[in-house]
Amino acid sequence: MNKAVVTKPNSLQWQFFMGCVNKLFNPEIKSRFNSLPNPNKAQLKFEVEDKLKKFYLKPGRKINFVFQLIHKKDLRNIFIDDDDPYPDVGGYSVLIRDTSKELTPNHNLTEKDIKENMKSASVSLGWIAEKLNFTKFISIIGYESIDYSKRKPTPALNKVINPKIQLEYQSILDSRFPAGRVPWLGFQAGQDFRNHPLHPSRGYQWLFQSKLGIPCNDK
């Protein structure tokens, strides 16, 4: 038994889980959990699923078999018909998925492979209109860009994977690492009548600002 998952092998929730597993491989055995009240069984199922989920999400080596504990009414939503006598303990069944032969992508990307460059600059011009009760106006012209100085991210996948899958992963990476540039125009207007810029006790301040990006035809 993996101690990373089961810290207390004699706990009630793991006895319930092992009872469901044993029932799957030997449907003739009787389980003492059949007579347990439904709320108690639901709580045990929740605790087992929570432990398994945390274990599966941990980084580390590949897991060859994945277990899932579900209610028997949900079996028909997966692959089991109502008439199929799938083993259960008190209405709960175990599903086991063999992932040992499944191919998983290895992007194999590090900071040395991809270097993201972000650039930005702006110039602003402001003035105060005394006739408008000292309202401040600021006009801004700016430019922002992002690109990659080394190489475009590409998935490093097993050679037996279909080229269509390669393209699907590439589209995901392209959406995660977009390169582009955008010039923009900004405008601000506001007033500040506070009695102190950091610790005001009276007065008020308001600010209106807008920003308009100009599309670029990047390819």
Side-chain angles (χ1 to χ4, degrees):
M1 187 171 291
N2 194 324
K3 294 183 179 180
V5 187
V6 185
T7 55
K8 298 179 180 179
N10 295 325
S11 61
L12 194 61
Q13 63 264 40
W14 290 117
Q15 292 182 22
F16 176 68
F17 175 68
M18 291 306 302
C20 294
V21 174
N22 293 333
K23 184 71 173 180
L24 176 63
F25 291 101
N26 186 6
E28 302 300 326
I29 64 173
K30 303 295 182 180
S31 175
R32 63 187 178 93
F33 291 99
N34 286 325
S35 59
L36 199 67
N38 290 335
N40 293 15
K41 288 182 289 188
Q43 178 63 29
L44 293 176
K45 184 260 185 187
F46 171 79
E47 294 175 0
V48 171
E49 285 285 273
D50 184 62
K51 286 279 189 179
L52 290 175
K53 182 179 179 180
K54 291 179 179 178
F55 174 71
Y56 294 146
L57 293 178
K58 280 185 177 181
R61 63 182 182 179
K62 179 178 173 60
I63 299 175
N64 293 329
F65 295 94
V66 176
F67 294 81
Q68 183 180 8
L69 190 61
I70 66 172
H71 195 275
K72 64 178 182 180
K73 69 178 181 180
D74 297 324
L75 290 174
R76 60 177 177 268
N77 298 330
I78 303 176
F79 59 88
I80 306 297
D81 296 330
D82 292 336
D83 298 333
D84 195 337
Y86 196 86
D88 69 272
V89 173
Y92 291 93
S93 302
V94 168
L95 299 179
I96 304 177
R97 177 178 173 181
D98 183 3
T99 61
S100 59
K101 297 181 180 179
E102 294 184 6
L103 297 175
T104 56
N106 177 20
H107 300 303
N108 197 27
L109 299 176
T110 65
E111 293 182 355
K112 295 181 179 180
D113 297 318
I114 303 172
K115 186 176 180 181
E116 185 180 79
N117 292 327
M118 298 183 65
K119 301 175 183 178
S120 63
S122 64
V123 178
S124 60
L125 175 65
W127 67 96
I128 298 177
E130 296 185 11
K131 294 183 178 181
L132 296 177
N133 199 16
F134 294 94
T135 302
K136 298 178 182 179
F137 296 93
I138 301 176
S139 298
I140 311 172
I141 300 176
Y143 176 86
E144 297 178 7
S145 69
I146 180 173
D147 58 21
Y148 303 93
S149 61
K150 291 195 174 182
R151 67 179 178 90
K152 187 177 182 180
T154 56
L157 302 177
N158 193 305
K159 293 182 180 180
V160 301
I161 289 185
N162 191 296
K164 291 184 178 180
I165 299 180
Q166 177 86 16
L167 293 176
E168 291 179 1
Y169 279 112
Q170 185 62 61
S171 65
I172 295 175
L173 288 176
D174 290 343
S175 63
R176 293 289 183 91
F177 298 92
R181 57 192 178 91
V182 54
W184 54 272
L185 301 175
F187 174 78
Q188 295 181 0
Q191 292 177 321
D192 188 356
F193 290 111
R194 298 174 297 172
N195 62 339
H196 194 279
L198 296 178
H199 307 286
S201 60
R202 63 180 182 274
Y204 66 91
Q205 178 188 28
W206 65 270
L207 176 67
F208 170 82
Q209 59 182 355
S210 62
K211 191 174 184 179
L212 175 64
I214 303 174
C216 292
N217 187 20
D218 291 327
K219 294 183 179 180

mmCIF file of all heavy atoms in Angstrom, residues 20 50 121 130 166 176 180 193 207:
data_model
loop_
_atom_site.group_PDB
_atom_site.id
_atom_site.type_symbol
_atom_site.label_atom_id
_atom_site.label_comp_id
_atom_site.label_asym_id
_atom_site.label_seq_id
_atom_site.Cartn_x
_atom_site.Cartn_y
_atom_site.Cartn_z
ATOM 1 N N CYS A 20 -14.688 -1.956 -1.598
ATOM 2 C CA CYS A 20 -15.213 -1.772 -2.956
ATOM 3 C C CYS A 20 -14.299 -2.429 -3.988
ATOM 4 O O CYS A 20 -14.773 -3.018 -4.969
ATOM 5 C CB CYS A 20 -15.368 -0.285 -3.255
ATOM 6 S SG CYS A 20 -16.613 0.556 -2.259
ATOM 7 N N ASP A 50 -11.090 12.619 -2.166
ATOM 8 C CA ASP A 50 -10.240 13.775 -1.884
ATOM 9 C C ASP A 50 -8.776 13.358 -1.767
ATOM 10 O O ASP A 50 -7.883 14.016 -2.304
ATOM 11 C CB ASP A 50 -10.710 14.455 -0.598
ATOM 12 C CG ASP A 50 -9.922 15.722 -0.287
ATOM 13 O OD1 ASP A 50 -9.972 16.663 -1.096
ATOM 14 O OD2 ASP A 50 -9.251 15.763 0.763
ATOM 15 N N ALA A 121 6.780 51.541 -24.075
ATOM 16 C CA ALA A 121 7.221 52.930 -23.968
ATOM 17 C C ALA A 121 6.005 53.829 -24.127
ATOM 18 O O ALA A 121 5.016 53.455 -24.780
ATOM 19 C CB ALA A 121 8.267 53.255 -25.029
ATOM 20 N N GLU A 130 -7.305 76.225 -15.875
ATOM 21 C CA GLU A 130 -7.744 77.025 -14.731
ATOM 22 C C GLU A 130 -9.220 77.390 -14.838
ATOM 23 O O GLU A 130 -9.933 77.462 -13.831
ATOM 24 C CB GLU A 130 -6.902 78.296 -14.634
ATOM 25 C CG GLU A 130 -5.432 78.043 -14.350
ATOM 26 C CD GLU A 130 -4.663 79.334 -14.153
ATOM 27 O OE1 GLU A 130 -5.320 80.395 -14.024
ATOM 28 O OE2 GLU A 130 -3.421 79.290 -14.132
ATOM 29 N N GLN A 166 -0.152 16.403 -33.067
ATOM 30 C CA GLN A 166 0.956 17.347 -32.972
ATOM 31 C C GLN A 166 0.475 18.768 -33.274
ATOM 32 O O GLN A 166 0.831 19.728 -32.587
ATOM 33 C CB GLN A 166 2.055 16.946 -33.958
ATOM 34 C CG GLN A 166 3.250 17.884 -34.012
ATOM 35 C CD GLN A 166 4.303 17.580 -32.975
ATOM 36 O OE1 GLN A 166 4.284 16.504 -32.407
ATOM 37 N NE2 GLN A 166 5.189 18.517 -32.731
ATOM 38 N N ARG A 176 -0.976 29.980 -25.925
ATOM 39 C CA ARG A 176 -0.379 30.294 -24.628
ATOM 40 C C ARG A 176 0.788 31.274 -24.753
ATOM 41 O O ARG A 176 1.114 31.978 -23.804
ATOM 42 C CB ARG A 176 0.104 29.003 -23.956
ATOM 43 C CG ARG A 176 -1.011 28.047 -23.553
ATOM 44 C CD ARG A 176 -1.810 28.579 -22.394
ATOM 45 N NE ARG A 176 -2.829 27.647 -21.954
ATOM 46 C CZ ARG A 176 -2.636 26.729 -21.020
ATOM 47 N NH1 ARG A 176 -1.468 26.629 -20.428
ATOM 48 N NH2 ARG A 176 -3.607 25.912 -20.674
ATOM 49 N N GLY A 180 3.213 39.656 -30.424
ATOM 50 C CA GLY A 180 2.507 40.736 -31.104
ATOM 51 C C GLY A 180 2.949 42.095 -30.602
ATOM 52 O O GLY A 180 3.788 42.215 -29.708
ATOM 53 N N PHE A 193 -8.758 67.479 -5.063
ATOM 54 C CA PHE A 193 -8.923 68.521 -4.058
ATOM 55 C C PHE A 193 -8.795 67.946 -2.645
ATOM 56 O O PHE A 193 -9.439 68.425 -1.713
ATOM 57 C CB PHE A 193 -10.285 69.206 -4.222
ATOM 58 C CG PHE A 193 -10.373 70.042 -5.471
ATOM 59 C CD1 PHE A 193 -11.186 69.657 -6.520
ATOM 60 C CD2 PHE A 193 -9.626 71.200 -5.601
ATOM 61 C CE1 PHE A 193 -11.263 70.423 -7.673
ATOM 62 C CE2 PHE A 193 -9.702 71.974 -6.753
ATOM 63 C CZ PHE A 193 -10.515 71.582 -7.794
ATOM 64 N N LEU A 207 -11.234 60.844 -11.457
ATOM 65 C CA LEU A 207 -10.356 60.621 -12.605
ATOM 66 C C LEU A 207 -11.113 59.860 -13.682
ATOM 67 O O LEU A 207 -11.745 58.833 -13.412
ATOM 68 C CB LEU A 207 -9.114 59.818 -12.197
ATOM 69 C CG LEU A 207 -8.153 59.434 -13.336
ATOM 70 C CD1 LEU A 207 -7.495 60.680 -13.915
ATOM 71 C CD2 LEU A 207 -7.096 58.457 -12.833
#
